[in-house]
Amino acid sequence: MEYFIIILFLIVILVVLKYVFGYNKKQVEKIAENKALDEVAKKYPENIDICKEYLKMLKNENVQIEEDNNATNSLYIAISNKIIIANIKNSYTRIQTIAHECLHSIQNRKVLLFNFIYSNIYMLYFIIISILAICKILPHKMVFLSILIIGGLLYYFVRSYLEDDAMIKARFLAKEYMEKQKISTQEEIDRMISAFDQLNDIGIRSVNYLLLLNIVIEILIFCIICIIR
């Protein structure tokens, strides 16, 4: 019975969170689609060259850079100190996205490594207790559920701190870069920054909502397994 109550509570939480954070995938995609700004961004160097310039500005030029046209998301891998740039060369958002990943590279390394190691441990924990619950060999399921919830909250706080910090600062780094390059007019830069501000306003809320959504889904899955098995 307690699992049904938890599931009902989590569903209510998801509905409330979606309303509070105002998550709207279509709205994010709409803001990210701007052909006029795409044309402005085409004037700038290749992604790897932009990344190198950002790292030079941040005084952190020992980072490996790789461009993967098959990747859908750019990311910074702390364990190997590498930035992977996705297939974003045709979008104006690349100017800020690359700045975002470069900013990850100068964040506190202890926090970055903790996030990398802990997120993998947390996922492994979820998989193991789920398998044990399915096999009916997991004792005191509520205890393991409680650990999963607490572990999920810790994962959220660390990950959201890293993402929010990079998203907020990326806008300023991108503006400094564009003004330094003197490729665009001030009007073009202002329009680009205005678009970044709109994107970040909903983007930060969306990222936080999706992080919480993933955690809640894992808890829901475990609760359903416990009910069935």
Side-chain angles (χ1 to χ4, degrees):
M1 182 64 183
E2 62 268 27
Y3 293 111
F4 286 105
I5 296 174
I6 293 172
I7 289 174
L8 179 61
F9 176 74
L10 289 175
I11 292 173
V12 172
I13 288 294
L14 283 180
V15 174
V16 172
L17 285 177
K18 186 171 183 179
Y19 173 76
V20 171
F21 284 102
Y23 175 68
N24 189 321
K25 184 179 179 181
K26 290 183 178 179
Q27 187 178 356
V28 175
E29 292 174 346
K30 185 178 179 180
I31 297 172
E33 292 178 3
N34 190 315
K35 292 183 179 180
L37 292 181
D38 289 344
E39 290 300 317
V40 174
K42 285 180 181 179
K43 302 175 185 177
Y44 287 85
E46 295 296 318
N47 291 337
I48 289 180
D49 294 325
I50 292 176
C51 192
K52 288 179 180 178
E53 183 60 29
Y54 277 138
L55 292 172
K56 184 178 180 181
M57 291 167 66
L58 295 170
K59 296 179 174 57
N60 187 34
E61 299 181 66
N62 63 336
V63 181
Q64 299 178 59
I65 307 169
E66 179 183 321
E67 193 164 14
D68 185 355
N69 290 326
N70 295 317
T72 54
N73 294 308
S74 300
L75 70 155
Y76 170 69
I77 305 173
I79 200 75
S80 58
N81 195 29
K82 177 191 288 187
I83 292 174
I84 297 179
I85 304 172
N87 185 16
I88 54 174
K89 62 182 179 181
N90 295 320
S91 174
Y92 78 91
T93 58
R94 71 190 182 106
I95 306 295
Q96 180 176 244
T97 299
I98 297 171
H100 176 104
E101 301 308 330
C102 290
L103 284 163
H104 275 313
S105 74
I106 63 166
Q107 289 175 323
N108 187 289
R109 186 147 185 83
K110 290 181 181 178
V111 179
L112 288 168
L113 290 176
F114 174 81
N115 174 69
F116 179 83
I117 295 170
Y118 178 76
S119 60
N120 284 285
I121 293 174
Y122 172 71
M123 180 55 65
L124 185 61
Y125 173 78
F126 166 69
I127 294 171
I128 291 174
I129 63 172
S130 296
I131 293 173
L132 291 177
I134 291 172
C135 296
K136 297 183 178 181
I137 54 175
L138 184 69
H140 311 297
K141 294 175 183 175
M142 286 299 295
V143 173
F144 287 94
L145 174 59
S146 299
I147 295 173
L148 181 66
I149 294 171
I150 295 171
L153 290 173
L154 177 58
Y155 166 77
Y156 167 75
F157 288 130
V158 174
R159 182 65 184 277
S160 64
Y161 160 73
L162 292 172
E163 293 300 329
D164 290 353
D165 178 68
M167 283 189 283
I168 291 169
K169 293 178 180 177
R171 177 253 197 219
F172 298 98
L173 182 61
K175 182 179 181 181
E176 182 182 349
Y177 166 77
M178 289 187 288
E179 290 177 342
K180 181 180 179 182
Q181 294 301 305
K182 300 185 184 303
I183 294 174
S184 302
T185 65
Q186 190 59 49
E187 181 185 354
E188 289 174 331
I189 293 174
D190 290 342
R191 284 195 289 118
M192 189 85 78
I193 296 302
S194 178
F196 289 158
D197 287 340
Q198 292 180 55
L199 195 60
N200 291 341
D201 178 55
I202 189 171
I204 291 174
R205 288 184 280 120
S206 296
V207 166
N208 280 271
Y209 170 75
L210 291 173
L211 287 174
L212 288 170
L213 176 64
N214 290 334
I215 294 167
V216 171
I217 287 175
E218 290 170 354
I219 297 169
L220 280 171
I221 291 172
F222 182 71
C223 287
I224 292 172
I225 291 173
C226 290
I227 291 173
I228 296 174
R229 305 302 295 176

